Amino acid sequence: MIFRLASLAGGLLHRLLRETRGSIALKFALIVPAVAMLSVGAVDLMAVTSAQTRLQAVADAAALAAAPALALATDGAAARERAASFVAAELSQWPDAPTVVGTYEVVERGAQRGIRVLLRANRPSFFANMLPPGGWDFVGDATATSVGLVPLCVLNIATAGDRLLELATQSRIEAPQCLVHSNHTITVKDRSQMIGEAIQAVGSASGAIVPKAGTGAARIEDPFAKLPLDDPDGKCSTANVDRVNKRIRPGLHCAISITGKDDYTLEPGEHWFTDGALNVGGTATLRGEDVVLLIGEDGQINFRGNARINLTGRRTGPFAGIVIAALPEHDDLISINSSRVERLEGAIYVPNAILEIAGNADVARQSAWTVIVAASLMLKGSPDVFINANYGDSDVPVPGGVGPNAGGASRGGSRLIQ
């Protein structure tokens, strides 16, 4: 547009100078105001173009600066505040800055969460805001996302009371590639230790935590709240257990006890314990692929002694990605207290119960990945719980809302996606 104005002014001047009729005074009386207006308009437009370019640069930089904050504040509040502060600082250093109204929002772009910075600006025009009417309006618009968010692998859902994330005695959580988050507090007592790529809590965090935990994080909602966890119809059956071939068919089970040196296999499917308990102890083995253990209000699972546990979660269906789940009505203790829990590959979900892991050995080390979502997670004794995050090495799909499908604390940097 600037070049068009310059061309128009040059053409008008050329035609007037070639005109031989009339006086020189009349010619210049016509030429000078017209050329002056066009020249001033061109200069004004150049200034607006420059301002628009600078405003877009501010929007880009603000979005890039704010995107990493999407992690610690999952509701986006920190990212919005950081973007707004960045814009305010830039405008304060801009002589003759336009009037700017900013909008900052967390948006979804496919599978990515981003922070959008939209800056609407107004700059007075040279002709007393008459051309164009109200002055010049222009915008800066940018959206950025964090690069490589740390996958969410441990979530303490409860927000108050005694349902917290606690490690006691000489217990240990190792989650070197993922995020540990508590909606309440994190307490690491005695000689215990918690290690993660990122660790954060809505409330306080204390004890031997590496790296240092972030506090004041926003609450993360229950990612599995819509799972179809309802007691199945019918009565439990003892016929599901094949004592000869040491196999357990899926279905609604009565109490099952596996002890001594027994070696049992859970067949693929959904294994419900709504009234009775699944007790595995001694040096017995319980294995199963493509399975989920579902615990009703009065059901229970207990892994004790030197029992060997090797389970991988469901691959398909409504419980895809889940290996153990408790109904919301179950608010009691769920205990994993065995020295040979080799694999719990999938998500463990106990929305209103306390998941207690005890014992004195490694837990889930052989799992390609594990996710724990519990109202409360308590470790005591000396278990070493491994939360691996090798999602691509397993045929158990990762449920939405956890793992690589949700996360926090950027692994480094951010990038523009708009």
Side-chain angles (χ1 to χ4, degrees):
M1 187 173 180
I2 295 171
F3 295 109
R4 290 181 61 191
L5 286 170
S7 177
L8 182 60
L12 179 60
L13 179 60
H14 180 70
R15 288 195 300 272
L16 287 172
L17 288 175
R18 292 183 59 188
E19 180 59 56
T20 58
R21 291 171 294 177
S23 65
I24 295 176
L26 178 59
K27 292 179 182 179
F28 277 92
L30 294 173
I31 292 171
V32 172
V35 172
M37 289 183 64
L38 291 172
S39 299
V40 169
V43 171
D44 195 25
L45 186 58
M46 289 181 65
V48 171
T49 302
S50 176
Q52 197 281 329
T53 300
R54 182 166 181 175
L55 187 72
Q56 183 60 51
V58 171
D60 290 345
L64 289 169
L70 288 172
L72 287 178
T74 55
D75 64 354
R80 292 192 297 269
E81 291 173 5
R82 184 175 294 182
S85 297
F86 187 96
V87 170
E90 290 296 308
L91 292 177
S92 69
Q93 300 177 34
W94 184 350
D96 300 322
T99 302
V100 176
V101 176
T103 301
Y104 313 96
E105 60 177 338
V106 176
V107 298
E108 298 288 340
R109 292 288 185 270
Q112 296 176 302
R113 294 174 73 238
I115 177 73
R116 183 187 184 194
V117 177
L118 177 60
L119 306 178
R120 301 182 186 277
N122 177 270
R123 178 187 177 95
S125 64
F126 182 81
F127 301 107
N129 280 351
M130 294 179 62
L131 186 63
W136 299 97
D137 292 321
F138 49 98
V139 300
D141 190 358
T143 302
T145 185
S146 291
V147 175
L149 290 181
V150 180
L152 173 64
C153 59
V154 177
L155 172 59
N156 168 205
I157 303 173
T159 60
D162 60 353
R163 301 296 174 98
L164 65 158
L165 176 51
E166 180 177 281
L167 279 63
T169 316
Q170 198 172 345
S171 57
R172 183 181 174 96
I173 285 181
E174 294 188 52
Q177 297 175 299
C178 55
L179 169 67
V180 178
H181 174 98
S182 172
N183 283 338
H184 190 4
T185 61
I186 298 175
T187 302
V188 180
K189 303 191 297 186
D190 308 321
R191 290 177 290 170
S192 301
Q193 187 176 32
M194 180 181 293
I195 300 171
E197 182 164 343
I199 300 170
Q200 63 187 38
V202 173
S204 62
S206 61
I209 301 173
V210 180
K212 183 179 179 181
T215 57
R219 178 181 175 181
I220 296 180
E221 298 296 331
D222 182 350
F224 303 145
K226 294 184 179 180
L227 276 180
L229 288 170
D230 297 311
D231 278 330
D233 296 329
K235 295 182 179 180
C236 68
S237 173
T238 59
N240 298 326
V241 182
D242 181 348
R243 294 287 181 183
V244 175
N245 297 304
K246 309 293 186 182
R247 298 185 72 83
I248 303 174
R249 292 180 287 273
L252 180 54
H253 305 303
C254 300
I256 298 177
S257 291
I258 302 173
T259 58
K261 297 181 180 180
D262 284 341
D263 187 336
Y264 273 80
T265 298
L266 295 169
E267 295 184 353
E270 298 165 9
H271 295 263
W272 288 90
F273 296 87
T274 59
D275 296 312
L278 171 63
N279 295 302
V280 187
T283 58
T285 296
L286 179 68
R287 67 183 80 238
E289 294 187 4
D290 190 15
V291 300
V292 57
L293 303 180
L294 296 158
I295 310 164
E297 180 178 2
D298 298 316
Q300 188 57 267
I301 62 168
N302 296 299
F303 300 149
R304 295 185 174 135
N306 291 315
R308 181 186 179 195
I309 308 298
N310 194 312
L311 304 174
T312 64
R314 289 289 280 153
R315 297 173 187 149
T316 59
F319 299 106
I322 309 295
V323 66
I324 297 174
L327 272 63
E329 295 78 14
H330 188 106
D331 58 2
D332 202 352
L333 187 71
I334 294 175
S335 176
I336 297 176
N337 187 2
S338 169
S339 60
R340 291 198 300 164
V341 180
E342 298 173 346
R343 178 176 295 159
L344 290 173
E345 193 162 297
I348 302 170
Y349 177 52
V350 288
N352 290 308
I354 297 173
L355 178 62
E356 179 185 88
I357 302 176
N360 58 0
D362 293 348
V363 176
R365 180 186 283 271
Q366 295 181 26
S367 304
W369 65 271
T370 302
V371 167
I372 297 176
V373 177
S376 178
L377 176 60
M378 302 281 193
L379 271 64
K380 65 180 184 180
S382 55
D384 198 339
V385 179
F386 282 82
I387 309 294
N388 293 318
N390 302 317
Y391 306 107
D393 294 341
S394 172
D395 55 5
V396 179
V398 184
V402 296
N405 303 311
S410 172
R411 280 180 168 145
S414 53
R415 65 184 180 87
L416 292 172
I417 57 176
Q418 177 181 309

